[in-house]
Structure formats: C-alpha cells, structure tokens
Amino acid sequence: MARHSFFLLASTLSSASTSTLFTTAFSALPVPVRSNNFNKLITRNMIFGKKEFPAPCVMGDESIMSPKAHGTSETPVQKNLRWNCDYDTADRICNFNRHYAEYAGYWTTTTFVEEARKEYEEKGEIMFYDSNTGKPLFVAPKGRDLNSFLKESQSHGWPSFRDEEVVWENVRCLSNGEAVSVDGTHLGHNLPDGKGNRYCINLVSVAGRPDGA
C-alpha cells in the first residue's frame, strides 16, 4: 500500500463513521478493478479482517474440518490415485493438514500434463475428483483453453482454478481462505487476484477416481 494511502486509511479509522470509513478507505486502497461489488467486498475484508469471498464462491464453516475417523475425513485417500500421485503425501495433505501444501511444481513431476492433454483432446475438459471420496470437485478448463490453464498453474506453482471451474455442490471456502471439500478434504487456498477468485489446489487432493473406481 502506498504511504499516502496508509495515512489516509489510518486517519479515517480514527474519525469517520462506519459508512464514511468504508467509502473513503475504498477509494484509497489500490484494489485491482474487476467489478464494483467485488472491489467493495475485498476492501471490507482488508479493513475489518473478515474474509467473505464473492459469489459464486460458496462459503463454509469450520465444522466441516472437525476431527473424524481419519483426520478431517472419514476415510483415507484412495490407493490408486491418478497421475502417479504419491499416496503418503496425499493422505497427509488431505487429512492431517490445514495449512501446508505439496511443494510448488509437484504437479509437473507427475504424469498429469501428458494425461490431461489426452483427456482434453478426447472430452474437451478434465475432471478432478476428491482423493478421499471420488466426488467431482473441479472441471477445467472452462472459459479458456488447456494451455491457458496450464500456463496459469505453472505461474503460481499449483493447479489454479477459477469460479466457473469449481463444482460448488462439493466444495466450500472457509473464512481463512482454505478451500475444502464438503467431506473434510483439505484442497488448498483461495488467493484472489485482479481477475477474481483463484483457487490454488494441491494435485494430490484432487487425484481421486470417480466413486473410487
């Protein structure tokens, strides 16, 4: 944040009403332009410390990640994960972890890119399933081609999805930005940018097979 923006925000906090605070601080913060509602929501999060991500993101509560039979899930990850993803890494990240991730670029060391290209050529999209339950979590690419999806994922270090690529029936975003499945699988985090919500997801968390097939 630029120095003049910081001082403007600080003086506003000490003297303005809530409505004036929001309006003035919003004009001071260098938030990327996407839509007025999106900018207002992100700015409110920055000011008040509460994260509420704009629709179509579906928010969930902390109870989703409560202790269960196997960490935060009822079951361990599937034994035959796709793309040669490592079982132990997947089980640790999916079920016994809330903050950490596979190392950046891990997905490029698997067979994902090669197999994804084949699936994309055959079906025009790639399905990503919960590594624990086999439920569909993401469908990509949508609104872009495969090369664009891979380029963005390469840039950030992890498979990166947009709102329209999320199966919201089975995915939730917590107030701390953590992306999880409705069954308690840790997936990654929502890290919005100038284009909107961006979900940086561990490949080992979405390498399941449909219904455990």
Side-chain angles (χ1 to χ4, degrees), residues 43-142:
T43 303
R44 186 172 71 231
N45 293 343
M46 294 172 67
I47 296 172
F48 297 107
K50 178 183 178 182
K51 289 186 178 179
E52 179 186 346
F53 299 102
C57 179
V58 179
M59 301 297 294
D61 60 57
E62 186 65 24
S63 64
I64 296 173
M65 301 300 283
S66 62
K68 302 180 184 68
H70 190 77
T72 57
S73 176
E74 293 292 349
T75 61
V77 298
Q78 299 172 2
K79 290 290 187 180
N80 58 337
L81 295 173
R82 301 171 75 192
W83 309 309
N84 287 336
C85 286
D86 181 70
Y87 174 87
D88 290 334
T89 300
D91 198 50
R92 182 173 63 254
I93 288 177
C94 290
N95 299 316
F96 299 94
N97 162 65
R98 301 293 304 279
H99 307 290
Y100 298 103
E102 65 198 21
Y103 61 82
Y106 170 84
W107 63 282
T108 64
T109 70
T110 69
T111 61
F112 171 73
V113 174
E114 178 184 355
E115 294 184 35
R117 290 192 182 280
K118 292 180 180 178
E119 186 173 348
Y120 180 71
E121 290 175 2
E122 294 174 0
K123 302 178 180 179
E125 61 186 21
I126 304 156
M127 296 293 301
F128 298 81
Y129 300 94
D130 191 321
S131 291
N132 285 321
T133 67
K135 291 181 180 179
L137 301 178
F138 300 92
V139 184
K142 286 191 174 183

Side-chain angles (χ1 to χ4, degrees), residues 1-12 24-31:
M1 183 184 298
R3 181 177 297 180
H4 72 276
S5 297
F6 174 80
F7 285 121
L8 176 57
L9 179 57
S11 62
T12 304
T24 306
F26 174 69
S27 64
L29 292 171
V31 181

Side-chain angles (χ1 to χ4, degrees), residues 177-190:
E178 184 181 6
V180 302
S181 79
V182 294
D183 296 296
T185 306
H186 172 81
L187 304 177
H189 288 83
N190 180 16

